[in-house]
Amino acid sequence: MELRHLRYFLELAKTLHYGVAAENLNISTPTLSVQINQLEEELGAPLFYRTQRKVELTQIGEIFQQEARETLQHAEQAKSRVRSAARGERGYIRVGYVASALLSGILTRLLTSFSAGAPDISINARESVMDTLATQVSERTIDVAFVRGPVPLPADVGYIEVEQDHFALALPDNHPLVAQEQPIEPAQLKGETFILPEQVSGTVTFAQRGGFILSRSWSAGSLNEVLANVALGNGVAVIPAILVTQLKLTGITYREIPGAVIPSSIWFLYRKRERTPAVNKLVRMIERST
């Protein structure tokens, strides 16, 4: 049974005349008759009473009429949804992100703006370990990601810098240098234990400025874990400066790093050869926004 059989049947059920129905369908009367016979054979029941004077629906035909209408309606709806998705008007996007992208507000601003113009595209976001996000994009586990750059990228993954930031210091409130009025120089933290966030480039640069190597350091992972250990007095940390204004926590004192800023930025990752229209629509919007 094909959709054309349903259309032929419904037209005949409406006109109850083979000649008129065939003309409306732009086919010959014998062709219509053959198609209806094939449909009845497949269903195993007569759909019409036929006499020399008139054509009438059988009771089975009346039941099938409603089913045929609903089937065609569903088919049209499915076609419409697919065409909408092909235009990038419908679908879903899986977003991975690191905490600092959320805390900075850039993730929310960009995705909220996108959703306002594409309400039928759902956004599913989840926080993830930064070192895995580029690979997840490449392997299509997620569609796009917000990370703190620079990070190594697979050949098929591109990036857009969506926000510039820099690094700052986080120290326990009871650290001796907190009371110092002058800026805390990197060399003054030689010998300290550094709690390393996922993005270690800021810490490495800070140590180089101070003329020391990170002999006492350990990786905490997420920013929440980094800050928790700083608050507990387990060490100091070089963290994204956005946290200074966005995350006030008991037990932690923030300080700017003197001299030229140690730059950091938030990258939006995407697949270079993306074929999903909804995802491409987001990429184009972010390109225009930056």
Side-chain angles (χ1 to χ4, degrees):
M1 184 187 305
E2 300 177 18
L3 293 179
R4 61 185 171 84
H5 290 112
L6 303 185
R7 296 190 183 96
Y8 294 167
F9 164 77
L10 288 174
E11 186 62 31
L12 182 56
K14 181 176 71 173
T15 63
L16 295 176
H17 192 287
Y18 274 85
V20 174
E23 184 177 355
N24 292 343
L25 293 166
N26 199 28
I27 61 175
S28 69
T29 301
T31 298
L32 176 59
S33 180
V34 169
Q35 297 295 317
I36 296 300
N37 289 338
Q38 289 177 349
L39 185 58
E40 290 178 323
E41 289 176 7
E42 184 171 351
L43 293 173
L47 300 173
F48 297 95
Y49 294 118
R50 303 170 180 83
T51 68
Q52 290 183 343
R53 294 186 176 182
K54 62 180 179 180
V55 177
E56 293 181 349
L57 279 169
T58 64
Q59 185 180 75
I60 294 172
E62 291 175 353
I63 295 172
F64 187 67
Q65 185 178 34
Q66 180 61 32
E67 297 293 336
R69 283 182 184 140
E70 292 179 358
T71 299
L72 285 180
Q73 287 173 355
H74 291 158
E76 288 302 318
Q77 289 171 357
K79 188 188 299 182
S80 176
R81 291 192 185 101
V82 170
R83 287 174 175 170
S84 177
R87 293 191 299 267
E89 299 169 353
R90 181 185 298 271
Y92 63 87
I93 301 174
R94 300 161 299 175
V95 180
Y97 67 90
V98 293
S100 60
L102 176 65
L103 294 171
S104 73
I106 189 64
L107 180 147
T108 305
R109 288 197 300 274
L110 289 175
L111 295 185
T112 299
S113 175
F114 175 76
S115 294
D120 291 326
I121 298 177
S122 63
I123 302 291
N124 305 310
R126 68 182 185 200
E127 184 177 353
S128 190
V129 177
M130 189 172 73
D131 289 347
T132 70
L133 283 170
T135 300
Q136 288 185 57
V137 172
S138 177
E139 295 179 351
R140 308 188 73 85
T141 305
I142 58 176
D143 298 307
V144 296
F146 290 85
V147 303
R148 186 163 286 273
V151 293
L153 299 177
D156 62 333
V157 174
Y159 78 94
I160 301 170
E161 185 181 273
V162 293
E163 186 165 82
Q164 294 182 344
D165 192 12
H166 62 281
F167 286 102
L169 280 173
L171 305 95
D173 279 349
N174 60 0
H175 193 283
L177 292 177
V178 167
Q180 176 178 299
E181 294 184 1
Q182 296 83 7
I184 299 173
E185 297 292 338
Q188 293 181 273
L189 292 175
K190 181 179 180 180
E192 293 280 350
T193 297
F194 281 81
I195 313 298
L196 301 178
E198 294 177 277
Q199 177 53 277
V200 300
S201 62
T203 312
V204 171
T205 301
F206 182 86
Q208 290 173 342
R209 286 189 180 183
F212 62 89
I213 60 173
L214 296 169
S215 58
R216 300 177 60 185
S217 64
W218 53 280
S219 300
S222 72
L223 279 175
N224 287 337
E225 189 176 343
V226 170
L227 295 175
N229 279 281
V230 171
L232 291 172
N234 293 331
V236 300
V238 177
I239 47 91
I242 190 66
L243 301 185
V244 175
T245 56
Q246 296 294 335
L247 204 58
K248 301 295 184 182
L249 295 174
T250 301
I252 295 178
T253 296
Y254 297 113
R255 287 286 187 270
E256 288 290 342
I257 298 171
V261 297
I262 302 175
S264 178
S265 60
I266 295 177
W267 288 3
F268 171 78
L269 306 186
Y270 63 93
R271 288 182 289 271
K272 294 178 181 178
R273 297 184 178 179
E274 180 59 60
R275 301 177 67 179
T276 304
V279 178
N280 279 329
K281 187 171 186 174
L282 174 62
V283 174
R284 290 193 299 270
M285 186 277 284
I286 290 180
E287 286 176 334
R288 293 192 300 269
S289 301
T290 57

